[in-house]
Amino acid sequence: MASYEYVSPEQLAGFDKYKYSAVDTNPLSLYVMHPFWNTVVKVFPTWLAPNLITFCGFLLVVFNFLLMAYFDPDFYASAPGHKHVPDWVWIVVGILNFMAYTLDGVDGKQARRTNSSTPLGELFDHGLDSWSCVYFVVTVYSIFGRGASGVSVFVLYLLLWVVLFSFILSHWEKYNTGILFLPWGYDISQVTISFVYIVTAVVGVEAWYEPFLFNFLYRDLFTAMIIGCALCVTLPMSLLNFFRSYKNNTLKHNSVYEAVVPFFSPCLLFILSTAWILLSPSDILELHPRIFYLMVGTAFANSTCQLIVCQMSSTRCPTLNWLLLPLFATVMVVNVGVTPYVESILLFTLTAAFTLAHVHYGVRVVKQLSNHFHIYPFSLRKPNSDLGVEEKNIGL
């Protein structure tokens, strides 16, 4: 199992033919962020591998998640009458979040700057982005938290799913059209939330208790922005791009079934995780919301990574993810009836298993593609191969 190969020979052959194709029409990205990133990338030495930049950005997002988990483990720190998160933490989180966003924006520019672009670089970038979704959303939750002035853990669970489906829509588009249409919501949310973190440090979480318009609270604005962006921007643009490809007869999958296969695993994950919440005898989401979110987000990231591999290699997406099997079994056990202690153990065990499985998947896929393209994943130095390829300044 340690040396299991997740990428099939057919997919490896597909990666050999892969050509990057993306469209970015977001004014914020085009006229503000890209000029900024073009300046920032010049700071990095030319020997620095783009994948290392990508990985550092991901680690910053995870660090923010862990830092906030320490100061706000149960999401009550921002509620009235509770000990609040120190102001300096909000500043650190805000700065690191913008740094992570910046690193995510310059890694591709570093690859082109050093003539080291490869399919693995794109897969590595988007794969980590899919896992970052849960860390980002859960960290943002601490701004409002739960309680009288916050958002319930179940509402946040639903908002997390709105973000997750918004993310996978872009890769579903590319799976069907061959073109990655970069979503507008990503850049807007990253810049806005980084700013809100800093503002929270200045004005305090108490400022978010007050209504900003009539009886419309800031928490309601937070909820409305996420849902509104998904329903009014992301979804319509995805469907429009799909329809245009259909009209131009450029869709890669002609049947409706094949076109929607990438949604099967995420939808089943949503059904099973929601069933667990509703059937839970100990109200598991209220008891361990952070762990439950992480479990869902990790399983989702694994399914999304498999989709990205398939859309980049022009192969068929798997119908179901095997990680759903232990989740299904867990839901069945919970439905029969277990003690709160046993249910908690099941959640922690499942989350640990999903995390280890996903890390194993990522490590093995990176290893396979590194060997296939004869490159080091975190270095611009090319290893000597049995084919006698000379060592050159090339990599991910």
Side-chain angles (χ1 to χ4, degrees):
M1 186 64 181
S3 59
Y4 185 81
E5 295 188 345
Y6 293 97
V7 184
S8 68
E10 180 189 3
Q11 290 174 329
L12 289 175
F15 274 108
D16 288 332
K17 304 172 185 177
Y18 177 74
K19 299 293 183 183
Y20 178 70
S21 179
V23 175
D24 188 358
T25 59
N26 184 0
L28 174 62
S29 175
L30 293 175
Y31 302 112
V32 179
M33 299 315 304
H34 276 292
F36 173 68
W37 294 332
N38 287 333
T39 300
V40 172
V41 74
K42 297 176 183 177
V43 176
F44 296 112
T46 54
W47 52 260
L48 184 61
N51 275 359
L52 195 57
I53 297 175
T54 304
F55 191 58
C56 287
F58 172 73
L59 291 180
L60 291 180
V61 175
V62 176
F63 177 81
N64 275 352
F65 173 85
L66 296 175
L67 182 64
M68 202 57 70
Y70 177 79
F71 286 100
D72 185 23
D74 52 7
F75 301 110
Y76 278 117
S78 293
H82 289 75
K83 183 179 180 181
H84 298 327
V85 174
D87 292 341
W88 67 266
V89 173
W90 294 116
I91 296 175
V92 169
V93 170
I95 293 174
L96 294 185
N97 187 80
F98 189 78
M99 287 178 61
Y101 169 54
T102 300
L103 293 178
D104 190 41
V106 303
D107 52 5
K109 296 182 181 298
Q110 176 74 352
R112 290 183 287 276
R113 178 175 175 237
T114 56
N115 193 30
S116 57
S117 299
T118 67
L120 177 55
E122 181 184 344
L123 174 62
F124 189 71
D125 185 6
H126 294 160
L128 289 181
D129 285 344
S130 68
W131 205 6
S132 294
C133 287
V134 64
Y135 295 111
F136 172 73
V137 173
V138 175
T139 302
V140 171
Y141 185 30
S142 289
I143 295 175
F144 303 97
R146 51 178 169 170
S149 62
V151 178
S152 72
V153 290
F154 186 71
V155 169
L156 196 280
Y157 165 78
L158 296 178
L159 293 178
L160 172 62
W161 270 110
V162 171
V163 173
L164 296 180
F165 272 113
S166 296
F167 181 89
I168 203 172
L169 267 177
S170 296
H171 295 284
W172 170 78
E173 282 181 74
K174 189 173 183 182
Y175 178 75
N176 284 285
T177 67
I179 302 173
L180 178 65
F181 297 91
L182 300 175
W184 284 29
Y186 173 69
D187 297 285
I188 296 173
S189 63
Q190 291 293 328
V191 173
T192 301
I193 292 302
S194 297
F195 177 74
V196 170
Y197 282 138
I198 303 299
V199 171
T200 302
V202 176
V203 303
V205 293
E206 295 84 1
W208 308 126
Y209 300 164
E210 303 297 326
F212 80 98
L213 182 65
F214 303 114
N215 293 323
F216 201 65
L217 300 176
Y218 283 99
R219 69 178 184 189
D220 302 320
L221 177 62
F222 167 70
T223 303
M225 285 179 62
I226 293 178
I227 298 175
C229 185
L231 296 181
C232 300
V233 180
T234 305
L235 180 59
M237 291 184 69
S238 293
L239 295 178
L240 177 61
N241 293 329
F242 181 87
F243 179 73
R244 284 174 175 170
S245 184
Y246 170 76
K247 292 289 288 184
N248 295 332
N249 199 29
T250 56
L251 284 177
K252 300 175 69 176
H253 305 279
N254 295 324
S255 73
V256 175
Y257 176 81
E258 290 297 335
V260 300
V261 161
F263 289 130
F264 287 0
S265 287
C267 286
L268 186 54
L269 173 62
F270 172 75
I271 293 171
L272 290 175
S273 58
T274 304
W276 187 351
I277 294 172
L278 299 178
L279 297 172
S280 173
S282 64
D283 206 351
I284 193 67
L285 187 61
E286 289 285 342
L287 195 61
H288 302 295
R290 190 178 293 272
I291 302 301
F292 198 92
Y293 297 146
L294 182 59
M295 180 270 293
V296 169
T298 302
F300 172 85
N302 190 261
S303 294
T304 304
C305 285
Q306 293 184 36
L307 167 60
I308 296 172
V309 168
C310 293
Q311 53 101 330
M312 291 183 66
S313 60
S314 297
T315 54
R316 186 180 184 276
C317 182
T319 304
L320 293 176
N321 188 332
W322 71 268
L323 291 182
L324 297 175
L325 294 177
L327 177 59
F328 175 78
T330 301
V331 174
M332 292 299 99
V333 170
V334 168
N335 186 42
V336 172
V338 293
T339 65
Y341 176 77
V342 171
E343 188 174 12
S344 296
I345 293 298
L346 287 173
L347 174 61
F348 278 80
T349 301
L350 200 61
T351 303
F354 281 5
T355 302
L356 291 175
H358 187 50
V359 170
H360 182 265
Y361 175 84
V363 170
R364 290 304 306 161
V365 169
V366 169
K367 180 68 174 177
Q368 273 190 267
L369 290 179
S370 297
N371 291 338
H372 181 72
F373 289 110
H374 304 291
I375 52 180
Y376 288 120
F378 298 108
S379 173
L380 294 179
R381 185 170 60 90
K382 188 171 183 178
N384 293 325
S385 70
D386 296 334
L387 299 177
V389 179
E390 293 182 1
E391 186 172 355
K392 294 184 288 185
N393 185 34
I394 190 170
L396 293 177

